[in-house]
Amino acid sequence: MKDFIIDEDLLIIKDAFGNGDFAIQEADQQNIEHLLLSQKGSYKEFPILGVGIKKYINSPDATSRLRLENEIDKQLSYDNFYVKTLDVNDLQNIKIDGNY
């Protein structure tokens, strides 16, 4: 899916004449990252959207990992992302395979 690219602010690309415009590129990774990091209520128009992954990071409990996996799958589905595989065994390297 193509969308605006955000790198701490909207990314602007300048052409040969020095005119700038918003960068529009593939944004699947960016969308997933924002969804994982955001808390419920972060998006006022969609108050139940967001995983809030930071609350799961320091939990060694296996039950928390299962809840996290379930929450990621549910939230990505809300965003119309089809999840083929999802692996949260290593929280520093979550693997998500799928597509919009």
Side-chain angles (χ1 to χ4, degrees):
M1 158 186 335
K2 292 194 177 215
D3 203 350
F4 294 111
I5 301 301
I6 300 173
D7 184 21
E8 293 186 25
D9 200 359
L10 283 171
L11 185 61
I12 297 176
I13 297 177
K14 294 192 178 206
D15 62 13
F17 301 106
N19 299 322
D21 202 358
F22 298 120
I24 297 178
Q25 300 170 354
E26 283 298 319
D28 292 354
Q29 282 297 125
Q30 173 181 276
N31 292 345
I32 292 170
E33 180 180 343
H34 289 177
L35 189 67
L36 293 176
L37 292 173
S38 64
Q39 300 284 336
K40 289 185 185 351
S42 294
Y43 301 102
K44 302 303 179 200
E45 191 173 337
F46 305 101
I48 63 168
L49 191 65
V51 172
I53 197 166
K54 289 184 181 180
K55 67 183 174 189
Y56 295 97
I57 293 291
N58 295 325
S59 179
D61 188 357
T63 306
S64 292
R65 306 264 172 143
L66 290 174
R67 284 187 197 141
L68 173 61
E69 188 171 326
N70 184 42
E71 187 67 19
I72 290 172
D73 186 50
K74 181 171 59 172
Q75 293 296 325
L76 288 172
S77 295
Y78 287 159
D79 199 36
N80 294 320
F81 185 86
Y82 171 72
V83 178
K84 294 178 188 172
T85 60
L86 175 60
D87 181 11
V88 297
N89 290 324
D90 179 8
L91 291 178
Q92 303 304 318
N93 189 21
I94 295 174
K95 294 180 174 70
I96 300 171
D97 183 26
N99 58 358
Y100 279 98

